[in-house]
């Protein structure tokens, strides 16, 4: 390593140590409700969130007051400390208000993906033991299609946001009827459960990560620490959905910085640069596809972008970003289970161009181990294990998953990392059978299980294939039952079957028929060999997009 790079590394370690010390020595509110109350006291009538597609905004004071009003009315309906409340609202102002209201009560929020179809919704409402359901009016018909009786959730527990519906409670009325100075009748602490956050798992169907108040507050402080003394770092763009981690922590980040979150209803690449410019955005998670959606030009100089988080960009894209915006696009590493774990410091520009995920943040310890659980030396790959304050409690009602996921206090990430001799961590690959499509996690096994519900299909293997826009696309290899020809089960029918049962981002784009699968001695399908054979022999493949 040359002298210049060594100097950069030393500076980066010094910077991350200072960031860690700042977080580890800082005071922290006990709960999410307390954090919002403190922010409202400090910033009062400053705009906290702008939902520009909705033409709506909320001040810090309004979020605090509306949350208290809603909490008051929810308590009267029977929501108590520990009550499980599913929330299917999308990127609306009501989402953070509802989250804070539930936090004030000590209730547990289960965010629900608004792209879910019938099977997905039924599974999450049942698996999470939801007793109440706060849902936007546009998703009510989907809920009413559930034929199997939900043991804990009845119509009495359904609260509609939007147009009022006969027989259901009305969200806005609950806010209007509640008391702004409401105080809950029981104490809530930082170690109480706040969210059951569902994430696609290697076992197929989503798993609920149990996350405490302290998890969210610590994540927010860690994310804000590099920018907390930067008074010009105020406007945060959120295009990610609130029902996922990114949307929620980015909103809390904006409030931690005393800034304003600018929230889109959904990502629109053809509008991304307009958002950055006209909303004077200082920070965002920047998708690589957005970099390619508009060529370099005079509009680049008009942006106020200071910092961008990225995931998996090519070196060429990093160089282009630096040249166009005079800023560094930085990797990081986190998971729903562990929050933010690795960060590239501001002073590590050279390393940021080198695809590192960075250095450990506050309250996080790491091991990289081989298949026998032994620590590996630097520059050798192995599975990353993480421990520290307020990682997930575990997966809700998943004792077998918890036994596999934890070794004592160490959490097995399932991701392959290596650390270099300077202490920087690099993501080598993902060992989990997971497809990353446009930022969405798709569990191959869940899609395979859905495919096997088709009576013509004997076996299915689902893999991720590279895609320049979405990162990966979903491809399904299909083995039909004996006597069934492809014309009796065409690709269009298979895709239509999946569209009825799966969220759109999980539906396979590519369908390939096979006569047999390569297998292990234990008869499991060998997916790497399958993909290799396909590449060598160029099997005929149906592309759903090409057929539109």
């Amino acid at each position: 390593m040359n002298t210049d790079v060594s100097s950069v590394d030393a500076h980066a370690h010094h910077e991350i140590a200072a960031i860690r010390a700042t977080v580890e020595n800082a005071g922290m509110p006990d709960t999410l409700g307390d954090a919002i109350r403190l922010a409202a006291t400090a910033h009062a009538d400053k705009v906290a969130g702008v939902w520009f597609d909705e033409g709506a905004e909320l001040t810090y004071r309004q979020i605090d007051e509306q949350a208290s009003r809603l909490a008051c009315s929810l308590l009267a309906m029977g929501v108590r400390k520990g009550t499980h409340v599913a929330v299917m609202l999308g990127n609306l102002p009501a989402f953070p208000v509802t989250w804070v209201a539930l936090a004030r009560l000590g209730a547990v929020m289960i965010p629900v993906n608004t792209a879910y179809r019938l099977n997905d919704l039924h599974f999450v409402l049942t698996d999470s033991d939801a007793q109440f359901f706060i849902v936007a009016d546009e998703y009510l018909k989907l809920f009413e299609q559930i034929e199997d009786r939900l043991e804990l959730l009845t119509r009495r527990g359904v609260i509609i946001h939007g147009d009022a519906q006969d027989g259901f409670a009305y969200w806005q009325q609950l806010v209007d009827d509640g008391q702004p100075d409401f105080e809950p009748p029981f104490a809530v602490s930082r170690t109480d459960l706040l969210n059951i956050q569902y994430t696609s798992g290697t076992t197929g169907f989503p798993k609920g990560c149990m996350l405490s108040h302290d998890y969210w507050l610590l994540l927010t402080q860690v994310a804000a620490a590099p920018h907390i003394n930067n008074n010009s770092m105020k406007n945060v763009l959120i295009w990610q959905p609130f029902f996922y981690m990114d949307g929620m922590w980015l909103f809390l980040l904006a409030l931690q910085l005393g800034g304003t979150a600018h929230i889109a209803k959904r990502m629109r690449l053809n509008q991304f640069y307009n958002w950055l410019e006209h909303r004077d955005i200082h920070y965002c998670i920047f998708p690589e596809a957005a970099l390619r959606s508009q060529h370099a030009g005079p509009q680049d100089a008009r942006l106020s972008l200071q910092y961008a988080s990225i995931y998996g960009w090519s070196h060429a894209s990093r160089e282009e970003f630096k040249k166009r915006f005079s800023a560094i696009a930085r990797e990081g590493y986190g998971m729903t289970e562990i929050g933010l774990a690795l960060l590239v410091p501001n002073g590590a520009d050279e390393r940021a161009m080198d695809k590192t995920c960075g250095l450990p943040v506050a309250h996080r310890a790491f091991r990289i181990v081989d298949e026998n659980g032994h620590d590996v030396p630097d520059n050798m790959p192995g599975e990353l294990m993480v421990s520290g304050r307020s990682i997930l409690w575990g997966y809700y009602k998943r004792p077998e998953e918890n036994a596999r996921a934890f070794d004592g206090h160490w959490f097995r990430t399932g991701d392959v990392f290596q650390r270099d001799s300077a202490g920087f961590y690099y993501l080598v690959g993902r060992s989990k059978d997971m497809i990353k499509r446009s930022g969405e996690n798709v569990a191959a096994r869940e899609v395979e299980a859905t495919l096997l519900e088709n009576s013509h299909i004997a076996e299915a293997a689902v893999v991720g294939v590279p895609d320049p826009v979405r990162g990966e696309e979903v491809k399904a290899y299909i083995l039909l039952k004996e006597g069934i020809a492809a014309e009796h089960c065409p690709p269009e029918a298979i895709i239509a079957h999946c569209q009825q049962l799966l969220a759109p981002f999980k539906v396979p784009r590519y369908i390939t028929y096979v006569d047999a699968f390569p297998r292990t001695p234990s008869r499991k399908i060998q997916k790497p060999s399958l993909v290799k054979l396909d590449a060598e022999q160029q099997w005929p493949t149906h592309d759903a997009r090409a057929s539109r």
Side-chain angles (χ1 to χ4, degrees):
M1 185 178 293
N2 64 47
T3 304
D4 290 338
V5 175
S6 296
S7 175
V8 168
D9 289 345
H11 181 75
H13 278 281
H14 178 77
E15 184 181 345
I16 203 74
I19 291 172
R20 288 171 63 103
T22 297
V23 174
E24 291 170 358
N25 295 325
M28 187 182 296
D30 277 343
T31 69
L32 177 63
D34 293 337
I36 299 304
R37 178 65 47 80
L38 288 171
T41 300
H43 304 293
D45 295 321
K46 180 174 182 178
V47 175
V50 177
W51 286 261
F52 48 84
D53 289 327
E54 307 294 331
E57 61 181 43
L58 288 174
T59 66
Y60 283 76
R61 191 198 309 273
Q62 286 173 325
I63 293 174
D64 181 51
E65 180 181 311
Q66 289 187 23
S68 287
R69 288 179 176 275
L70 180 60
C72 178
S73 294
L74 288 174
L75 182 73
M77 286 187 67
V79 177
R80 310 290 291 183
K81 184 174 182 178
T83 300
H84 290 194
V85 181
V87 177
M88 191 176 188
L89 289 176
N91 281 18
L92 297 173
F95 192 106
V97 170
T98 300
W99 190 24
V100 178
L102 295 174
R104 291 236 161 103
L105 291 172
V108 181
M109 183 175 78
I110 299 99
V112 179
N113 191 326
T114 57
Y116 274 174
R117 295 297 188 255
L118 191 60
N119 281 13
D120 304 301
L121 180 59
H122 182 267
F123 171 80
V124 167
L125 293 178
T126 303
D127 187 75
S128 67
D129 296 317
Q131 298 153 273
F132 288 82
F133 185 31
I134 299 175
V135 57
D137 53 6
E138 61 185 301
Y139 309 118
L140 181 61
K141 287 185 179 179
L142 180 66
F143 169 75
E144 292 188 303
Q145 291 174 28
I146 295 176
E147 295 179 356
D148 294 342
R149 186 173 65 89
L150 296 171
E151 186 175 352
L152 298 177
L153 179 60
T154 65
R155 289 175 67 91
R156 181 190 169 282
V158 178
I159 299 165
I160 306 300
H161 180 274
D163 292 336
Q165 307 282 333
D166 290 340
F168 296 104
Y170 179 38
W171 187 92
Q172 188 59 54
Q173 192 65 52
L174 295 181
V175 173
D176 293 343
D177 290 346
Q179 298 299 316
D181 57 352
F182 168 76
E183 292 293 337
F186 25 70
V188 181
S189 73
R190 68 172 55 192
T191 56
D192 284 335
L193 185 63
L194 176 57
N195 281 40
I196 298 179
Q197 195 78 28
Y198 275 83
T199 180
S200 295
T202 57
T203 57
F205 291 98
K207 299 176 294 187
C209 298
M210 295 184 284
L211 308 176
S212 68
H213 285 255
D214 196 53
Y215 169 98
W216 288 99
L217 297 176
L218 179 60
L219 190 163
T220 303
Q221 281 210 350
V222 169
H227 319 293
I228 202 69
N229 295 319
N230 181 356
N231 291 326
S232 65
M233 183 82 157
K234 296 299 182 185
N235 291 331
V236 177
L237 175 65
I238 302 175
W239 51 266
Q240 297 85 347
F242 276 142
F243 53 74
Y244 274 162
M245 293 292 301
D246 286 344
M248 287 191 282
W249 75 256
L250 285 168
F251 188 83
L252 294 181
L253 171 67
L255 272 56
Q256 180 76 13
L257 295 173
T260 302
H262 297 258
I263 303 114
K265 187 173 184 179
R266 62 179 62 89
M267 166 55 89
R268 298 194 302 277
L269 283 178
N270 63 350
Q271 291 296 313
F272 191 75
Y273 279 84
N274 289 335
W275 295 342
L276 295 178
E277 179 181 352
H278 297 302
R279 308 225 150 254
D280 197 30
I281 298 301
H282 303 131
Y283 172 75
C284 69
I285 296 176
F286 204 116
E288 191 171 11
L291 187 69
R292 297 190 293 265
S293 69
Q294 184 164 338
H295 297 298
Q299 75 281 350
D300 294 345
R302 297 196 294 267
L303 301 188
S304 301
L305 200 62
Q306 298 179 24
Y307 194 101
S309 293
I310 60 171
Y311 301 109
W313 279 24
S314 68
H315 184 77
S317 291
R318 294 164 196 259
E319 292 283 2
E320 181 183 350
F321 185 92
K322 180 180 179 181
K323 181 179 179 180
R324 290 176 62 175
F325 306 120
S326 300
I328 305 295
R330 300 172 192 278
E331 294 271 359
Y333 177 74
M335 300 173 66
T336 303
E337 289 86 345
I338 62 174
L340 182 58
L342 291 166
L343 182 70
V344 178
N346 292 332
D349 291 358
E350 194 84 21
R351 287 290 188 171
M353 305 302 290
D354 195 31
K355 292 192 174 183
T356 182
C357 293
L359 299 167
V361 301
H363 299 292
R364 292 291 175 266
F366 295 84
R367 294 174 61 200
I368 299 177
V369 302
D370 61 21
E371 59 185 12
N372 297 314
H374 300 141
D375 293 334
V376 301
D378 286 345
N379 300 309
M380 291 293 292
E383 182 182 8
L384 183 70
M385 299 177 70
V386 180
S387 69
R389 172 178 159 185
S390 296
I391 64 173
L392 82 161
W393 293 0
Y395 298 112
Y396 186 61
K397 300 194 305 188
R398 296 289 190 278
E400 293 183 358
E401 284 287 340
N402 291 331
R404 284 193 291 266
F406 288 90
D407 181 4
H409 61 282
W410 292 97
F411 176 75
R412 303 179 185 275
T413 67
D415 288 333
V416 180
F417 268 78
Q418 66 184 41
R419 189 181 71 171
D420 67 15
S421 56
F424 287 83
Y425 287 79
Y426 293 81
L427 177 63
V428 176
R430 301 187 183 276
S431 62
K432 295 181 178 179
D433 194 7
M434 189 75 69
I435 300 161
K436 193 80 169 181
R437 183 186 185 276
S438 294
E440 303 271 11
N441 286 328
V442 180
R445 188 167 173 179
E446 181 185 2
V447 182
E448 290 161 356
T450 300
L451 288 164
L452 292 179
E453 291 184 33
N454 185 310
S455 60
H456 294 319
I457 296 175
E459 287 186 280
V462 171
V463 302
V465 294
D467 183 84
V469 174
R470 294 171 177 81
E472 288 185 301
E473 276 283 8
V474 182
K475 181 170 184 175
Y477 293 89
I478 303 296
L479 177 64
L480 296 173
K481 291 182 177 178
E482 188 173 352
I484 302 295
E487 56 262 34
H488 299 134
C489 185
E492 294 83 356
I494 293 173
I495 291 169
H497 165 80
C498 291
Q499 287 172 333
Q500 290 181 334
L501 300 174
L502 293 171
F505 63 85
K506 301 178 184 178
V507 175
R509 172 177 172 178
Y510 301 107
I511 302 290
T512 296
Y513 295 92
V514 299
D515 296 321
F517 286 116
R519 299 181 185 274
T520 66
S522 61
R523 298 296 296 163
K524 292 182 179 179
I525 297 171
Q526 286 186 317
K527 289 187 179 181
S529 299
L530 179 65
V531 172
K532 183 179 179 182
L533 284 171
D534 187 4
E536 292 172 349
Q537 300 177 18
Q538 296 290 300
W539 293 336
T541 296
H542 172 83
D543 182 350
R545 290 189 177 275
S547 63
R548 289 179 181 175

